[in-house]
Amino acid sequence: MLILTATATGQGDQDNDFTWTTEGELVWLGLVCDRDLRDPDGGCGCGRAFSGLSSHRATTTAMVRDLPLTRDDVVQALVGYLEAAGYGTFTAASLEDEVDELLAPLQRLSAGDIVRRRLDELLVLPRAPRPT
Ligand SMILES: [Zn+2]
């Protein structure tokens, strides 16, 4: 299935890029603080960043990858991330909406797409021209 993963590809296109994640790990659109809700280019960075589910670190670029995962795998990864981060205890059922919000926009994307985040919106970077 198509899923968002951390990547360093595309880094440096924007002055305020950063990537502290592990290449290829699953990411999601983590929570955004009040400061970045007013300006995703503000000093915090959470409004333009994807959160790595394994590293608990962030990156401003993500790659759509087609991985041999099920929806349940993604739910369990998110449960593990949230519990490890100290947000409490979660059941798979309690995260249905979050997983839907994560997966639904990917239906219009393709494996290999590089995306950026502006709060709740995903922006797809243009593909580099192929060498002829
Ligand atoms: Zn923030």
Side-chain angles (χ1 to χ4, degrees):
M1 67 181 299
L2 296 180
I3 190 73
L4 283 177
T5 64
T7 189
T9 303
Q11 285 286 311
D13 290 353
Q14 303 291 320
D15 290 343
N16 56 11
D17 267 337
F18 54 83
T19 181
W20 304 108
T21 48
T22 303
E23 182 77 26
E25 71 173 299
L26 301 188
V27 298
W28 80 304
L29 283 67
L31 305 175
V32 177
C33 68
D34 286 345
R35 184 174 170 182
D36 269 30
L37 277 177
R38 290 188 298 270
D39 176 13
D41 287 317
C44 178
C46 61
R48 61 181 186 277
F50 303 91
S51 299
L53 295 186
S54 298
S55 68
H56 293 251
R57 293 171 182 260
T59 180
T60 52
T61 50
M63 180 184 288
V64 179
R65 286 185 166 98
D66 190 4
L67 298 178
L69 296 174
T70 65
R71 179 188 167 86
D72 284 348
D73 293 333
V74 176
V75 170
Q76 288 309 314
L78 192 54
V79 167
Y81 165 82
L82 291 169
E83 291 185 354
Y87 286 112
T89 304
F90 295 85
T91 63
S94 69
L95 295 176
E96 287 296 317
D97 289 347
E98 283 77 8
V99 172
D100 285 344
E101 288 173 18
L102 178 66
L103 298 179
L106 302 180
Q107 299 307 311
R108 63 182 171 83
L109 302 178
S110 306
D113 280 347
I114 306 296
V115 297
R116 292 182 175 280
R117 173 188 186 185
R118 299 291 294 179
L119 301 176
D120 290 336
E121 190 178 355
L122 293 180
L123 306 174
V124 183
L125 274 63
R127 296 257 181 162
R130 292 195 180 114
T132 54

